[in-house]
Amino acid sequence: MLGLAFAMAAPPQGAAAGGGMMAQFQGVIPLVFMFAIFYFLLIRPQQKKAKEHRALLDALKKGDQVVTAGGMHGKVTALDDQVVTLEIAPGVNVRINKGYIASVKQD
């Protein structure tokens, strides 16, 4: 019965028992490492791609051949602040949001 009482006793207090600051850092280091992995593999490439897409939309001009996110090909006939008019066939114009332009085709 005496062994059970010692097993249930609180651990002694002091630097040797808890490991001090080193034990706390050992719990934080994996979290910092995981954040670094997420940053370099997910966050940074996504920000770079969004920046390139914004630059593409800012450089868009009348007469460009574009492809929309839905796969529609057309020629830019008019530009507004947020709306682009595309000619998808002779005499057939459609209006789409500027953000849905996926790429500009090179002739």
Side-chain angles (χ1 to χ4, degrees), residues 9-93:
Q13 299 295 323
M21 294 290 279
M22 192 58 160
Q24 291 176 350
F25 285 128
Q26 287 177 350
V28 174
I29 291 173
L31 292 175
V32 170
F33 185 67
M34 285 180 8
F35 179 76
I37 289 173
F38 275 113
Y39 179 75
F40 286 109
L41 293 180
L42 297 173
I43 298 170
R44 188 170 166 216
Q46 186 177 8
Q47 288 176 342
K48 184 177 178 183
K49 187 174 180 178
K51 187 176 181 180
E52 290 172 355
H53 188 252
R54 274 192 306 273
L56 177 129
L57 295 180
D58 291 340
L60 199 61
K61 62 187 180 299
K62 191 174 177 179
D64 284 344
Q65 295 287 333
V66 297
V67 179
T68 66
M72 189 179 307
H73 295 244
K75 181 179 177 182
V76 176
T77 57
L79 285 166
D80 261 344
D81 189 32
Q82 293 297 320
V83 179
V84 176
T85 304
L86 295 180
E87 183 178 31
I88 56 173
V92 180
N93 291 322

Side-chain angles (χ1 to χ4, degrees), residues 2-16:
L2 190 59
L4 184 59
F6 281 120
M8 294 176 56
Q13 299 295 323

